Amino acid sequence: MWVSEKEKRTRLIKQELTTLKRELVKKDLENLLLNANLDYRQEHGLLVNVPFFDEVIELGIPSFSFRKSRGNVDTLLKIVILKYLKNLEKINDEKFFDFVNLRELSLIKAKTLKSIERLFAYDAKSFLRYGIALGGKEMAYSDTSIIFTILPGVEILFVFREAEEEREAKLDVLVKKNIQQIFSETELLYLTKIIIKKILNYAKLKMCEDFL
């Protein structure tokens, strides 16, 4: 029976989700949560509060129910959260704290970053201001650098270089080695796109306010 590529991907994602659930229930999760200082309580198993950007996602285990205050938790986000909990021991492993550039590793395509590069080509100050307003922190890394906390211990670093006469603007995306090893290319791209969308939406809002 013929199966489309989309259907194949859907099945693989569902299979991965099932596998992660099985692996997670085998772990000493309470001990992992205590060591990671994550908030949880006993309620028909465990009810874990997972900070994700500026909101909290509530996860029930072993029911694996997901709930957040705004909208639904999509399948890819469920995988990200379960992978995060499964790998809590690796999150703070200092052996892997060096940053790796996802763009240089071809894990992020240039076209994904174009919208930021075009909008802030000659305005790195606004890029920095908007990023900080969205919860990012300025870093003394290189050029204009902002680090965003996705989950506790999971950070994505945006490094933006303004355009000059013969040089286009450039945005690099970096994560620590342990994060790159925990999450797949698809998941890292998913998280990067969330940050980009937040920045673009906020920029649009501020520009409208300035116009009024």
Side-chain angles (χ1 to χ4, degrees):
M1 182 175 131
W2 180 83
V3 179
S4 68
E5 288 300 317
K6 182 179 180 181
E7 179 61 27
K8 286 179 184 178
R9 288 194 298 272
T10 301
R11 289 182 183 181
L12 285 173
I13 290 172
K14 288 181 179 179
Q15 184 179 342
E16 183 175 17
L17 194 59
T18 300
T19 301
L20 284 168
K21 291 175 181 179
R22 288 174 181 165
E23 292 173 342
L24 202 55
V25 294
K26 293 177 183 177
K27 284 186 167 285
D28 182 1
L29 195 55
E30 275 197 78
N31 188 49
L32 289 174
L33 294 171
L34 280 170
N35 290 335
N37 292 316
L38 283 178
D39 180 45
Y40 74 94
R41 66 181 185 273
Q42 293 279 357
E43 188 174 309
H44 306 296
L46 291 178
L47 203 58
V48 186
N49 292 321
V50 184
F52 181 73
F53 281 105
D54 57 349
E55 59 185 326
V56 174
I57 295 175
E58 190 180 78
L59 166 62
I61 300 174
S63 65
F64 291 100
S65 57
F66 292 81
R67 186 172 63 185
K68 63 176 182 174
S69 58
R70 303 188 299 271
N72 298 319
V73 180
D74 61 50
T75 304
L76 201 49
L77 180 51
K78 290 178 182 178
I79 288 176
V80 166
I81 290 172
L82 295 186
K83 275 193 175 182
Y84 170 73
L85 294 175
K86 176 191 168 186
N87 292 283
L88 278 174
E89 293 164 311
K90 297 179 183 178
I91 294 297
N92 296 314
D93 191 338
E94 294 182 2
K95 292 183 296 184
F96 301 98
F97 270 19
D98 291 337
F99 279 100
V100 293
N101 191 321
L102 300 182
R103 184 170 188 157
E104 290 178 357
L105 294 173
S106 300
L107 297 178
I108 297 281
K109 293 182 179 179
K111 66 178 182 180
T112 302
L113 311 173
K114 275 294 178 188
S115 54
I116 294 290
E117 292 168 345
R118 287 172 181 160
L119 182 61
F120 299 102
Y122 297 97
D123 193 8
K125 287 183 179 179
S126 288
F127 171 74
L128 177 62
R129 187 169 69 251
Y130 295 164
I132 291 173
L134 291 167
K137 294 182 180 178
E138 183 177 8
M139 294 280 286
Y141 189 81
S142 66
D143 295 300
T144 301
S145 304
I146 313 172
I147 198 161
F148 296 91
T149 299
I150 314 301
L151 295 152
V154 177
E155 299 166 324
I156 294 183
L157 176 63
F158 275 23
V159 179
F160 181 73
R161 184 190 70 195
E162 265 193 3
E164 294 180 357
E165 287 185 6
E166 297 182 1
R167 187 182 73 178
E168 293 184 347
K170 185 181 180 185
L171 175 64
D172 284 315
V173 179
L174 296 87
V175 298
K176 291 175 182 174
K177 285 183 180 178
N178 57 343
I179 304 306
Q180 186 239 327
Q181 292 170 359
I182 290 169
F183 298 107
S184 70
E185 176 181 345
T186 299
E187 291 145 14
L188 290 171
L189 178 61
Y190 170 81
L191 295 173
T192 300
K193 284 184 173 179
I194 289 177
I195 299 174
I196 290 173
K197 185 176 180 181
K198 284 178 177 288
I199 293 173
L200 294 177
N201 286 343
Y202 187 76
K204 186 185 296 183
L205 174 65
K206 298 306 291 183
M207 289 173 184
C208 287
E209 288 178 355
D210 292 342
F211 179 75
L212 295 173

